[in-house]
């Protein structure tokens, strides 16, 4: 089931302890290859921002999107440089603080602007700075309302109403407009993604300015359930390529087509490994309690997301035996002092179940498809240190982030 075999996961757990994140480089490279038709693949690093993952992306010719000063520093640490390769890092946000303005100017990092206020702030400091405009096309779509990033309920991007004013200001300041960007949501589907290409053509015509590139944004779905459809990337490219050609005809010259996936590149490439510490039953549920919580993997608590869960038996010779007495369906929960710390719940917080094969205390439990918005959304809630990250490449695994120590947390409070 898992992308890793059981022995590997047992070894990793033994060597690095649990909970732990494990990634597979080959799966990431496979995902990258599916998008090679695009002129630029720009990884939205917030999905999985470890510098070793960024280095892997860079070696594959993938560029990077940063949404904070911290993510810019991560890109630089991973060897990205806009001086060596222009535009290899882009900064996307709806606000920009003064330190981040300094950082983008110093490192020649184009800014994908999501608000008129940002435009003033950048122009004050660097009136010729390269920028993108992130447009909110008036509609959006995501796997959850919380990941829908377009439409009237979204805080993101320049609305169509504000677009003429943004263009006028860009021209008055002399800012260098690279292109128009649109990210309608995370975990969308082909129908909505293609709605976005038609909107892009209309918006470029409406904006009535010259540009060198367009960006589709991210949102490309990754399968979580067995029956989830895989995105047909050739159809996705064809639709956007047609939009690009329409825009080229309109402008009278060639433009570049960028795609900006996060989840698509990493979600299916990582797992969260945990150990079972307790089994207990109530009148409603058979609970399996593990040593990972929503401070590690937030998605189920935040969105009711599904992650396929699997048992790796401690006993290497374990053979499934179907005892009539043993329960089949379990609720899986973590150690946090919070009743919402349950990995099997729907979007309304109702506890549901997954079928597990004879879980026992001491067995490992694997949360699959946790490579995107997994480690990068972790927190220190309940004063729990961040779990280590391990990268499997070419038959070898290595530690790419140490386990955080509790002393690291306390150190910040020594004043
Ligand atoms: C989050 C984000 C992405 C990536 O979204 P995915 O659904 O992970 O592909 C792309 N672009 C921007 C601007 C984002 O904020």
């Amino acid at each position: 089931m898992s992308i890793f075999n059981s022995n590997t996961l047992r070894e990793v757990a033994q060597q690095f302890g649990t909970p732990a994140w494990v990634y597979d480089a080959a799966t990431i490279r496979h995902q990258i290859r599916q998008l090679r038709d695009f002129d630029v693949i720009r990884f939205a690093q917030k999905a999985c921002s470890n510098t070793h993952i960024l280095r892997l992306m860079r070696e594959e010719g993938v560029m990077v999107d940063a949404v904070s000063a911290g993510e810019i520093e991560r890109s630089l640490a991973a060897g990205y440089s806009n001086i060596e390769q222009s535009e290899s890092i882009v900064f996307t946000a709806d606000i920009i603080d003064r330190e981040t303005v300094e950082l983008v100017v110093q490192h020649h990092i184009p800014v994908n602007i999501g608000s008129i206020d940002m435009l003033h702030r950048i122009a004050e400091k660097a009136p010729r700075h390269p920028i993108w405009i992130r447009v909110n096309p008036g509609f959006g779509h995501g796997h959850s309302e919380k990941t829908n990033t377009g439409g009237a309920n979204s805080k993101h991007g320049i609305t169509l109403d504000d677009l003429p004013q943004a263009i006028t200001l860009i021209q008055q300041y002399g800012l260098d407009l690279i292109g128009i960007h649109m990210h309608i949501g995370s975990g969308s589907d082909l129908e909505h993604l293609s709605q976005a290409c038609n909107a892009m053509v209309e918006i470029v015509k409406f904006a009535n300015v010259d540009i060198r590139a367009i960006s589709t944004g991210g949102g490309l779905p990754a399968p979580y359930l067995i029956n989830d459809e895989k995105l047909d990337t050739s159809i996705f490219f064809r639709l956007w390529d047609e939009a690009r050609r329409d825009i080229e005809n309109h402008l009278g010259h060639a433009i570049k087509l960028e795609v900006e996936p996060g989840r698509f590149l990493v979600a299916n490439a990582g797992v969260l490994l945990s150990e079972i510490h307790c089994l207990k039953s109530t009148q409603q549920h058979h609970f399996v309690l593990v040593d990972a919580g929503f401070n590690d993997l937030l998605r189920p608590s935040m969105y009711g997301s599904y992650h396929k869960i699997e048992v790796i038996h401690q006993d290497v010779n374990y053979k499934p035996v179907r005892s009539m007495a043993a329960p089949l369906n379990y609720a899986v929960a973590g150690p946090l002092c919070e009743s919402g710390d349950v990995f099997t719940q729907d979007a309304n917080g109702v506890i549901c179940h997954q079928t597990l094969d004879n879980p026992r205390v001491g067995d490992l439990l694997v949360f699959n498809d946790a490579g995107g918005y997994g480690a990068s959304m972790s927190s220190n809630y309940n004063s729990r240190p961040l779990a280590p990250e391990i990268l499997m490449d070419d038959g070898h695994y290595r530690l790419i982030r140490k386990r955080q120590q509790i002393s690291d947390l306390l150190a910040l409070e020594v004043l």
Side-chain angles (χ1 to χ4, degrees):
M1 259 316 297
S2 164
I3 48 170
F4 300 106
N5 76 41
S6 306
N7 286 333
T8 302
L9 293 178
R10 279 192 203 95
E11 264 176 51
V12 167
Q14 190 140 55
Q15 192 168 343
F16 303 104
T18 54
W21 302 95
V22 195
Y23 306 110
D24 179 40
T27 305
I28 297 175
R29 292 197 188 97
H30 174 79
Q31 293 300 99
I32 294 171
R33 273 199 297 280
Q34 295 188 54
L35 296 173
R36 285 284 186 214
D37 285 340
F38 288 87
D39 299 314
V40 173
I41 307 172
R42 188 176 295 287
F43 176 49
Q45 69 172 286
K46 72 176 190 281
C48 186
S49 51
N50 185 296
T51 50
H52 296 266
I53 300 292
L54 298 185
R55 222 163 269 144
L56 183 161
M57 296 285 176
R58 188 169 59 79
E59 283 161 12
E60 294 295 320
V62 172
M63 294 188 179
V64 75
D65 183 57
V67 297
S68 67
E71 287 194 353
I72 292 175
E73 295 289 358
R74 284 187 173 281
S75 317
L76 297 170
Y80 283 99
S81 160
N82 282 11
I83 292 151
E84 274 165 38
Q85 187 181 20
S86 74
E87 301 174 19
S88 69
I89 310 168
V90 166
F91 176 76
T92 296
D94 295 284
I95 64 162
I96 189 164
D97 58 40
R98 292 172 189 86
E99 287 100 78
T100 311
V101 173
E102 298 289 337
L103 199 60
V104 297
V105 171
Q106 182 192 349
H107 293 282
H108 307 280
I109 297 172
V111 177
N112 186 11
I113 60 142
S115 66
I116 301 266
D117 291 298
M118 244 177 117
L119 207 53
H120 293 304
R121 176 123 335 147
I122 291 154
E124 268 164 29
K125 185 75 198 171
R128 302 276 172 275
H129 200 76
I131 61 162
W132 286 76
I133 306 178
R134 174 177 182 172
V135 175
N136 176 347
F139 63 88
H141 188 254
H143 67 75
S144 149
E145 257 321 299
K146 292 176 189 153
T147 65
N148 179 341
T149 59
N153 284 321
S154 174
K155 66 170 181 169
H156 295 294
I158 303 267
T159 62
L160 295 180
D161 290 341
D162 285 346
L163 186 58
Q165 189 197 351
I167 302 286
T168 306
L169 284 169
I170 289 165
Q171 289 167 339
Q172 280 172 1
Y173 283 127
L175 288 160
D176 174 26
L177 179 61
I178 298 170
I180 293 188
H181 170 283
M182 197 186 287
H183 173 68
I184 61 163
S186 201
S188 191
D189 56 44
L190 199 56
E191 190 188 328
H192 289 90
L193 292 170
S194 62
Q195 201 184 346
C197 355
N198 300 331
M200 179 66 89
V201 178
E202 294 309 310
I203 287 166
V204 172
K205 289 179 182 166
F206 172 64
N208 196 26
V209 274
D210 198 21
I211 51 171
R212 309 195 283 277
I214 53 170
S215 172
T216 73
L220 290 69
Y224 289 93
L225 289 151
I226 290 172
N227 293 330
D228 278 356
E229 258 180 69
K230 280 198 175 167
L231 178 72
D232 186 333
T233 48
S234 62
I235 300 179
F236 177 71
F237 174 75
R238 207 178 61 229
L239 291 168
W240 273 101
D241 194 36
E242 278 165 18
R244 179 242 301 264
R245 279 164 216 272
D246 282 353
I247 293 169
E248 288 180 342
N249 284 336
H250 171 72
L251 296 174
H253 62 79
I255 60 165
K256 278 193 176 167
L257 178 58
E258 292 204 1
V259 66
E260 196 177 61
R263 177 190 319 278
F264 181 81
L265 297 185
V266 290
N268 305 128
V271 303
L272 173 62
L273 195 56
S274 69
E275 182 183 331
I276 300 174
H277 283 257
C278 156
L279 298 167
K280 67 163 91 163
S281 297
T282 66
Q283 289 184 348
Q284 295 287 326
H285 308 289
H286 297 294
F287 279 104
V288 175
L289 302 192
V290 297
D291 59 3
F294 77 60
N295 68 297
D296 299 298
L297 178 61
L298 182 62
R299 300 186 71 250
S301 296
M302 180 98 161
Y303 313 115
S305 301
Y306 174 90
H307 288 272
K308 170 80 187 146
I309 306 173
E310 247 179 289
V311 183
I312 309 276
H313 296 92
Q314 205 176 20
D315 172 10
V316 287
N317 298 315
Y318 172 83
K319 294 267 179 315
V321 275
R322 182 77 5 261
S323 139
M324 294 311 275
L328 265 176
N329 297 318
Y330 296 84
V332 177
L336 302 185
C337 258
E338 177 126 3
S339 54
D341 185 27
V342 174
F343 292 106
T344 47
Q345 59 177 296
D346 68 14
N348 298 315
V350 176
I351 294 181
C352 34
H353 302 132
Q354 282 198 35
T355 303
L356 298 178
D357 174 21
N358 259 312
R360 293 279 176 268
V361 170
D363 288 344
L364 300 172
L365 218 56
V366 182
F367 297 87
N368 287 301
D369 307 313
Y373 305 100
S376 65
M377 285 181 97
S378 297
S379 77
N380 289 127
Y381 188 45
N382 278 208
S383 290
R384 286 168 44 88
L386 299 177
E389 296 178 286
I390 292 108
L391 179 62
M392 179 85 171
D393 196 1
D394 205 16
H396 302 283
Y397 53 81
R398 65 189 165 95
L399 188 66
I400 59 170
R401 182 177 74 184
K402 294 180 240 178
R403 185 181 303 282
Q404 194 179 34
Q405 298 302 307
I406 292 166
S407 55
D408 297 333
L409 303 181
L410 294 178
L412 290 174
E413 291 160 44
V414 177
L415 299 169

